[in-house]
Each structure stands twice: as C-alpha cells, then as structure tokens.
C-alpha cells in the first residue's frame, strides 16, 4: 500500500482521513499543528498524540516534501532550491530575505504552457501540475531549512513573525501559472492561511496570474488572497504577442475580472506586474497608454526590468528609460515601484526560473524567437 502524504491535505481533508482511521476529529488538529507549525516529519516525535495513533500513522502515512537537488545562495542573500518532483522534473523555489520580512516564491507547475515570450519557464515547456504536497512542501521545507540556518547563526537578516518562522510572505510567482492548477493551489492556500497551519494573513499571500479570467472569478469565491496580474502591455495587439493567453481573455475582460475580484480581496488594489523590455513596451507612449487603460481599476504597478536568460530575444532598458517610464505613471497618481533585481547571479530573479522540465507538449518555440521589432 502506498502511504498517504499528509502534506496533500488541508485541515478538513486531514480530519476526514483521521476519522476514516476510527480516530476523533481533534487528533487531526494536533497532527496538523505538528506538521505545519513545528515542521515535524517524525510521527514518533508528536508527543501529545496517542501512541496507538502514532503507530497507525507510521504504517499508513508520510510527511514528504520534494527532495533538494541543489541549494544556491546569491551574493545578496537570495536563496534558491532546485527540487525534485519526480519523472525527470525539478522545480525552483526562491527565498528573498529583507530586514522587515522574508518572502518565499513558490512554483505551482513543472514548466508552463502559457509561453509568455519573456519568461524562461515558458521556454522549458510543460509537463504537469504539481500536487498540493509539492506546492505546500516548498513552504514546509523552506521553514525547516531557514529555521535551521537561523538557529545556527547563518541567517539573521529578517525579524520574522512571532512564531519564529522566517518566511513571512508567500508569493505564487514561481514556475507555472497558479490558476491553471486551481484545486491544488487553493488547498495549499488554505493551509497557509489556517491558524493551525502557517497562520499567514491573506494580505501576505499573493497569487500571480497571467490572466485566466474564469479562474480569477473562482479564486474570488473560494479563497481570495492578494492578487497580482502579469500585465506587461498596454494594449491587446502587443499583449497578444507577449502574453498569448490574452488572445483568449483580452484586456477588457481581464480588467473587468480585476474589478470583480476587488469586491472580496484582502487589499483594496490589484498589483499589476510589468516587465520592461527595451524597445518593446517601455516607451513613454506605452506608459501613457497604461494610465488610460487602468484608470477605473484601483491598482499599483510593480515594474520589473527584464532579467536576461540564455536565448531570450530581449534586453533590459537603461536606468534613465526605466525612471522615465515610472515617472509618467507616478505623475498620473499611480502607486509605482520598480523591483530591485535579486538573485540574478544564481538565475533566481523574476522570469529566470527554469528548473528541469520534460516537456510533454512538443510545441514549437517560435514565440521565443520573435524579433523585437515585430512587437512594437
């Protein structure tokens, strides 16, 4: 019999499973806290759980996160793990330390099928969705590894939450499109938010999407957390080329979904992510067009100067061009930040995550070869 991985369960699912063993529901809460609050993977160490139940768990269950294949640390303190998810696939998880917080960037798919032109993950192709255990296991593992490093004095750059963990914020912005793996992602989110689990605020958990409109509406109903939308273009003609999902869900539909989402969102704004590509989407007229596009959507902009990767047909704009673009947005009253590049020396920056993907799509890579001049 294949053992059940308890990282696959949110609390209601774990409760049902525990009851199927003939145990009382409160036992699920005990075990859940041991797994997620204590980072425990040894049933024998769960001291307040009955010995008879611990024996059942040892026979029928495991607590197993993806295995670490490589652990890389950037000169700026950013840490990236390459994690084995089986079948020849590996995904990447990135931890970004700051004085006031520690942010973990989590992957949700082995590869990505959306083929955004400027993203290294999209170049790898797509194999499969990650399970809840594989998504949640990234947070579980990071807390264990970072907690050990902090205890040994190897990492002390963030204050961390009251419970002593060093991961204070989670962003689902790693490999894959989170909303294309909806069920597993929502179960993982519920564990992150559960007070018996990681107890994170909805404001401190962010799902990033390229714009799958029906799934944005579903997230609004099932588990509204902070939402970031990968915009990257101020009009449909350009976005169709940069973010191909736009051909199915154009900007008018996407922005309407953002408005609906705000009715339930934990924040009163949507974050629009915008990768700046030299000579493609970074001209002053693009910025002015953006101002008009989002005038009815409460939002902030997160500008991301392009982070190069091998084979990419794009370049990063110079600093003056970046500042001019940002100033146009800010002068129009839009809250705008320019993301500081972190971890680029270990290919951990935004858009650089690639991992190892056994592509099952056998699709062409023509998107990656588009000439910049065709995109203007």
């Amino acid at each position: 019999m294949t053992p059940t991985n308890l990282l696959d369960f949110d609390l209601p699912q774990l409760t049902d499973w525990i009851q199927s063993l003939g145990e009382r529901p409160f036992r699920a809460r005990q075990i859940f806290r041991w797994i997620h609050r204590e980072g425990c993977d040894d049933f024998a160490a769960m001291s307040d759980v009955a010995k008879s139940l611990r024996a059942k768990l040892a026979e029928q269950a495991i607590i197993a996160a993806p295995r670490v294949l490589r652990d890389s640390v950037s000169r700026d303190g950013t840490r990236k793990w390459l994690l084995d998810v089986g079948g020849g696939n590996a995904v990447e998880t990135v931890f970004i330390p700051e004085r006031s917080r520690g942010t973990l960037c989590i992957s949700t798919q082995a590869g990505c099928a959306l083929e955004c032109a400027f993203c290294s993950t999209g170049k790898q192709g797509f194999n499969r969705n990650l399970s809840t255990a594989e998504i949640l296991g990234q947070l579980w593992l990071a807390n264990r590894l970072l907690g050990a490093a902090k205890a040994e004095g190897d990492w002390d750059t963030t204050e961390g939450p009251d419970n002593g963990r060093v991961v204070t914020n989670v962003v689902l912005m790693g490999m894959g499109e989170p909303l294309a793996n909806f069920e597993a992602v929502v179960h993982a989110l519920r564990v992150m938010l559960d007070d018996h689990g990681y107890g994170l605020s909805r404001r401190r958990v962010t799902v990033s999407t390229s714009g799958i409109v029906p799934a944005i509406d579903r997230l609004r109903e099932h588990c509204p957390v902070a939402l970031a939308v990968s915009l990257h273009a101020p009009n449909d003609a350009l976005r169709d080329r940069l973010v191909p999902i736009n051909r199915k869900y154009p900007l008018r539909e996407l922005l309407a979904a953002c408005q609906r989402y705000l009715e339930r969102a934990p924040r009163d704004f949507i974050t629009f992510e915008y990768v700046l590509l030299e000579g493609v989407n970074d001209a002053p007229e693009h910025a002015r067009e953006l101002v008009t596009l989002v005038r009815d959507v409460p939002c902030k902009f997160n500008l991301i100067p392009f982070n190069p990767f091998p084979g990419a047909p794009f370049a990063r704009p110079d600093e003056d061009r970046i500042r001019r673009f940002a100033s146009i947005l800010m002068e129009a009253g839009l809250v705008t930040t320019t993301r500081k590049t972190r971890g680029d020396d270990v290919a951990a920056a935004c858009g650089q995550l690639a991992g190892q993907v056994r592509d099952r799509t056998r699709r062409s890579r023509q998107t990656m070869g588009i000439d910049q001049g065709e995109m203007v």
Side-chain angles (χ1 to χ4, degrees):
M1 181 180 67
T2 302
T4 299
N5 191 347
L6 300 190
L7 287 177
D8 260 323
F9 293 152
D10 61 20
L11 185 52
Q13 291 173 319
L14 181 59
T15 301
D16 289 343
W17 188 81
I18 288 294
Q19 287 183 290
S20 76
L21 301 181
E23 300 288 342
R24 297 171 64 184
F26 80 91
R27 294 297 187 191
R29 292 191 297 274
Q30 290 178 311
I31 296 163
F32 198 74
R33 288 194 293 266
W34 276 106
I35 295 170
H36 300 293
R37 294 191 68 83
E38 303 299 328
C40 181
D41 62 353
D42 180 4
F43 297 119
M46 298 181 179
S47 55
D48 61 350
V49 176
K51 287 185 178 181
S52 59
L53 176 53
R54 281 184 265 169
K56 290 180 186 178
L57 294 173
E59 291 177 357
Q60 301 184 43
I62 56 173
I63 301 164
R67 181 171 61 93
V68 177
L69 296 175
R70 186 166 61 242
D71 186 343
S72 306
V73 181
S74 167
R75 57 178 173 265
D76 64 20
T78 298
R79 188 167 176 180
K80 182 178 78 169
W81 297 281
L82 180 68
L83 303 176
D84 182 7
V85 293
N89 297 297
V91 300
E92 294 185 322
T93 305
V94 176
F95 177 70
I96 305 166
E98 299 176 81
R99 284 287 175 186
S100 59
R101 63 184 178 182
T103 301
L104 189 71
C105 181
I106 286 178
S107 294
T108 56
Q109 296 179 310
C112 186
L114 297 191
E115 295 189 275
C116 294
F118 47 81
C119 179
S120 181
T121 302
K123 189 178 181 182
Q124 309 305 307
F126 174 77
N127 186 271
R128 65 173 177 85
N129 288 330
L130 299 186
S131 67
T132 299
E134 290 166 337
I135 296 168
L136 201 56
Q138 297 170 64
L139 175 57
W140 183 88
L141 184 65
N143 270 320
R144 275 173 60 108
L145 296 176
L146 295 167
K150 188 174 183 180
E152 294 171 5
D154 294 335
W155 185 82
D156 61 356
T157 58
T158 193
E159 297 172 1
D162 293 340
N163 59 21
R165 297 195 193 96
V166 291
V167 176
T168 64
N169 295 61
V170 173
V171 293
L172 277 65
M173 295 182 183
M175 296 173 63
E177 163 57 59
L179 295 187
N181 186 12
F182 189 87
E183 296 299 332
V185 162
V186 166
H187 285 304
L189 290 175
R190 286 172 175 159
V191 178
M192 295 176 197
L193 301 174
D194 197 307
D195 286 340
H196 296 290
Y198 297 91
L200 294 170
S201 161
R202 291 179 186 270
R203 295 170 60 88
R204 289 181 175 267
V205 178
T206 301
V207 169
S208 176
T209 178
S210 295
I212 303 177
V213 166
I216 293 173
D217 288 331
R218 288 184 70 198
L219 187 66
R220 169 185 175 271
E221 295 301 319
H222 289 275
C223 193
V225 292
L227 185 68
V229 174
S230 297
L231 196 59
H232 310 309
N235 59 66
D236 284 321
L238 180 54
R239 196 167 191 267
D240 283 352
R241 295 182 175 94
L242 293 176
V243 187
I245 194 68
N246 192 74
R247 299 166 194 166
K248 187 170 185 179
Y249 305 112
L251 285 169
R252 178 179 57 81
E253 296 181 23
L254 176 58
L255 295 179
C258 290
Q259 289 276 31
R260 293 191 296 273
Y261 193 85
L262 284 169
E263 296 170 5
R264 301 281 182 86
R267 291 178 173 173
D268 57 1
F269 61 87
I270 301 291
T271 297
F272 287 125
E273 298 168 311
Y274 195 97
V275 173
L276 290 165
L277 307 167
E278 184 182 38
V280 176
N281 66 349
D282 64 338
E285 53 265 33
H286 291 130
R288 288 189 285 269
E289 197 173 357
L290 276 179
V291 171
T292 301
L293 177 71
V294 303
R295 62 188 171 191
D296 296 325
V297 182
C299 64
K300 64 172 284 189
F301 271 89
N302 187 3
L303 302 181
I304 308 167
F306 177 66
N307 295 303
F309 57 87
F314 304 110
R316 178 190 180 100
D318 63 40
E319 293 302 316
D320 286 343
R321 197 167 177 90
I322 294 169
R323 281 193 293 269
R324 185 179 182 191
F325 194 97
S327 68
I328 292 171
L329 300 182
M330 289 187 287
E331 287 168 5
L334 294 171
V335 176
T336 304
T337 59
T338 301
R339 184 179 295 178
K340 180 181 178 183
T341 298
R342 299 290 300 271
D344 57 326
D345 57 316
V346 293
C350 182
Q352 291 184 324
L353 301 191
Q356 298 170 4
V357 179
R358 297 188 67 179
D359 182 22
R360 298 175 59 192
T361 63
R362 296 185 177 89
R363 67 189 182 213
S364 71
R365 292 288 176 266
Q366 292 178 351
T367 304
M368 295 306 301
I370 294 174
D371 181 79
Q372 289 187 39
E374 297 176 5
M375 293 194 174
V376 179

